[in-house]
Amino acid sequence: MQIYLPIAEMPVSVLLILGMGAAVGFISGLFGIGGGFLMTPLLIFLGIPPAVAVATQSAQIVASSTTSVLGALRRNALDHKLGAILVAGGFVGSALGVWFFAAARRAGQLELVIVVSYVTLFTIVGSLMLKESIREFWSRRKGGAVRPRRRAGEHAPYLGWPLRMRFYRSKLYVSIIPIIGLSLFIGFAGALLGIGGGFIVVPALLYIFRVPTNVVVGTSQFQIVCTTLVALILHAVTNQAVDMVLAILLIVGGVFGAQFGARMGRHLRAELFRFLLAILLLAVGLRFGLELVMKPEEPFSITVQEVRT
C-alpha cells in the first residue's frame, strides 16, 4: 500500500516505513538511546531528500524521548539542575545547527555536509567504543582484572576549571564549561544531522563526568527532547522540511518496536552491549563512506535555488 508524502514529494510503502520505524525502535529500546542516528540514514538510502529526512526524524525523536523522560521522572532518575544546563547549551547549539543547515541547503551542499559529518562522527565514536569493548572482553578472557574505573564523584583535573557548580543528584562538583561545550555540540549535531545525540551524550556523562548510571539515561533524554523539539520547530518554520505524514508513520512503528527492544536489552551484558553498538555505528559510517567514493546513479541533478528579493 502506497502513500504520498507531500513535503518529500514522493510515494512510499506504508508497510515499509512502519517496518523501518519498528526496527529502529527495537534497536533504540535495545540500546537505550534515540534511533535518529540510524533512521535518518535509512530514510536517505530509501530516497527521501536529506533535508526532509533530517527535519522529519526530529519529530520521531521527540516522541520516543518524551516517553523515556516521563519514566525517569517516576523513578526519580533525572538530575533537573544538570539537565537545565545541558538544555541551555543545547538550545544555542540547535539554533546554530538549523542556521548552518539552511545555509548549506541554499548553497546546494547540504547532502555532502551530511554525508561527511556522518562518516566522521560515526567512525570516531564507533572506533573508540569498539576499542574499549574489545579491551574489556580480552581482559576478561585472559582472566586478568578489568581496568578499574573511577567511581561517581571522582573527576579529571580539567573538570576543575572556573564556574564550578554542584549537582547533588549526579554527585558532581565540576566546571559547567565542559558541560555547556558538550551540550552545544549535541544540539548542533542533532539539528544538522537529525540525531538525538544519545549515543554521544550517554558515554560522555558516564566516562567523562562520571554521572551515576541510574541518572544518565533520564538526564540525557531530558536534554534531547527539549533541544530536539526546538530544532523541530525551527526546521518547520525556517526550512519547511517537516513531513508530518512520514513523521506519524515513523512514530507509530517506533512505539511498537521500542517495547520489544527494551525487554531484550535487560539481558545484554555491558561489554556485549558496547560491542554491538560500536559495530552498528561503524556499519552506518561505512555505508555513508561508500557514498563518497561510489559513482552515483545520477551524476547530475537539478534543484531550484531560493531567490531573495
Side-chain angles (χ1 to χ4, degrees):
M1 184 173 65
Q2 299 280 320
I3 189 171
Y4 185 76
L5 304 179
I7 303 299
E9 298 181 341
M10 60 178 290
V12 295
S13 168
V14 174
L15 295 180
L16 177 60
I17 298 298
L18 288 174
M20 288 171 54
V24 173
F26 176 84
I27 294 174
S28 176
L30 182 66
F31 293 115
I33 59 178
F37 75 98
L38 186 58
M39 179 56 77
T40 302
L42 287 177
L43 292 175
I44 294 175
F45 299 154
L46 189 63
I48 305 293
V52 177
V54 169
T56 304
Q57 174 57 22
S58 299
Q60 195 271 341
I61 294 173
V62 170
S64 60
S65 297
T66 299
T67 303
S68 299
V69 171
L70 293 176
L73 286 172
R74 288 194 298 267
R75 300 190 306 270
N76 192 27
L78 193 156
D79 189 323
H80 297 83
K81 192 174 182 180
L82 177 60
I85 299 295
L86 290 171
V87 167
F91 282 167
V92 178
S94 295
L96 292 174
V98 172
W99 171 82
F100 187 79
F101 181 99
R105 189 182 186 186
R106 287 194 298 269
Q109 301 298 320
L110 179 61
E111 185 171 356
L112 177 62
V113 169
I114 290 176
V115 170
V116 173
S117 299
Y118 264 108
V119 172
T120 304
L121 183 62
F122 280 37
T123 300
I124 293 175
V125 176
S127 298
L128 291 175
M129 293 185 66
L130 182 62
K131 178 182 176 181
E132 176 73 17
S133 60
I134 290 177
R135 180 165 50 189
E136 183 169 342
F137 174 78
W138 187 252
S139 298
R140 291 183 184 277
R141 185 178 180 85
K142 293 174 63 177
V146 178
R147 185 180 60 175
R149 297 175 180 168
R150 293 194 301 268
R151 295 173 298 174
E154 298 179 0
H155 312 293
Y158 62 86
L159 295 181
W161 290 347
L163 299 179
R164 283 184 288 181
M165 186 177 293
R166 192 177 299 278
F167 304 92
Y168 294 98
R169 188 71 183 85
S170 298
K171 302 179 182 178
L172 288 175
Y173 181 56
V174 298
S175 169
I176 64 172
I177 295 176
I179 297 176
I180 292 177
L182 172 66
S183 61
L184 281 170
F185 176 73
I186 296 301
F188 181 86
L192 178 63
L193 303 178
I195 58 178
F199 70 97
I200 301 175
V201 70
V202 169
L205 292 179
L206 282 173
Y207 296 112
I208 298 177
F209 299 100
R210 304 298 170 180
V211 177
T213 306
N214 62 330
V215 182
V216 166
V217 174
T219 303
S220 66
Q221 291 295 318
F222 175 73
Q223 185 261 347
I224 289 169
V225 71
C226 293
T227 55
T228 307
L229 179 60
V230 171
L232 174 64
I233 295 172
L234 291 176
H235 274 305
V237 173
T238 305
N239 302 312
Q240 293 84 41
V242 179
D243 194 312
M244 290 308 301
V245 176
L246 177 61
I248 291 172
L249 293 176
L250 294 176
I251 291 171
V252 172
V255 167
F256 287 101
Q259 303 302 317
F260 295 99
R263 294 178 184 177
M264 183 171 292
R266 301 190 189 112
H267 305 291
L268 276 181
R269 293 182 300 172
E271 61 272 17
L272 180 60
F273 171 92
R274 288 194 298 273
F275 176 79
L276 293 176
L277 182 56
I279 293 298
L280 184 60
L281 292 177
L282 288 173
V284 177
L286 176 62
R287 177 62 179 82
F288 269 105
L290 293 176
E291 292 280 329
L292 295 175
V293 298
M294 292 178 61
K295 182 179 179 180
E297 295 182 3
E298 297 292 339
F300 302 100
S301 62
I302 299 176
T303 57
V304 178
Q305 298 292 328
E306 296 182 14
V307 178
R308 294 180 177 270
T309 58

